[in-house]
Amino acid sequence: MADCFWESGISPEPGSARRTAMDAMLVEIERDMHVQFAPLHQKNVDKDQRDAAFAKLSVQFEKFETLFSDGRKYLLGREFSVADAYLFVAINWAGISGLNIFRWPHIGDYSDRMRARPSVLAAMRAEGLIVD
C-alpha cells in the first residue's frame, strides 16, 4: 500500500535510501517485537513466559528509546511514516499487556505525540480503543 501512495507522504519514495531505512524499521518491529506479543495475548500464559516476553520487549523498546534520544519526532526523523503506525500499535499492545512504556521517557513522549495526531485519534475511535 505504501508503494501505491508514497506521494501522500506516508512512505518515502520506493527505491530511496529513506525507504530502505523505513523497510528495515518495519522488519525490526515485526521480527523483534510483534512476535514477542504472542504469548502475552494468550489467556493461560504462565509467569515465566510473560517475564521472558517482557524482557525481550524491554530490550527492543530500549533500542527505540535510544533512537529517539537524538530528538527526532518520528522513526525517520521529522516525518510520519507507516513504520510509526506499526510501532504505535506495538506500544499500545505493550500497555494492554501490562508493560509500562512510560519508563522510557522518549517512547512515552512519542506515544503522546502519536495519540495527538487527528488521524490516529480517528482510527482509535473507529476501532473502539477510545470512547468519547
Side-chain angles (χ1 to χ4, degrees):
M1 292 300 294
D3 283 345
C4 295
F5 300 101
W6 70 270
E7 291 172 329
S8 71
I10 195 73
S11 170
E13 182 177 359
S16 68
R18 287 178 53 78
R19 177 55 183 265
T20 300
M22 185 192 78
D23 289 346
M25 297 246 181
L26 288 167
V27 168
E28 184 173 348
I29 295 166
E30 169 65 24
R31 182 194 63 220
D32 298 334
M33 295 182 85
H34 187 141
V35 298
Q36 300 307 325
F37 285 102
L40 299 175
H41 293 296
Q42 297 173 7
K43 291 182 181 180
N44 297 324
V45 64
D46 67 36
K47 184 181 180 326
D48 291 339
Q49 290 172 312
R50 183 179 192 78
D51 290 348
F54 276 178
K56 290 176 183 175
L57 285 165
S58 293
V59 168
Q60 297 311 311
F61 277 114
E62 189 63 41
K63 288 181 186 179
F64 285 106
E65 176 71 8
T66 299
L67 183 71
F68 284 115
S69 70
D70 70 0
R72 71 182 64 210
K73 298 294 182 194
Y74 299 104
L75 288 172
L76 299 179
R78 288 180 277 170
E79 299 170 3
F80 175 84
S81 74
V82 295
D84 293 293
Y86 196 10
L87 180 59
F88 186 64
V89 168
I91 288 170
N92 282 323
W93 286 344
I96 291 166
S97 300
L99 182 62
N100 179 8
I101 58 95
F102 289 96
R103 71 185 211 201
W104 298 286
H106 297 295
I107 296 291
D109 290 345
Y110 172 79
S111 178
D112 289 344
R113 196 167 37 259
M114 290 293 293
R115 286 180 192 279
R117 292 179 61 86
S119 59
V120 171
L121 286 171
M124 292 180 79
R125 283 186 182 106
E127 291 292 323
L129 299 172
I130 295 176
V131 178
D132 293 321

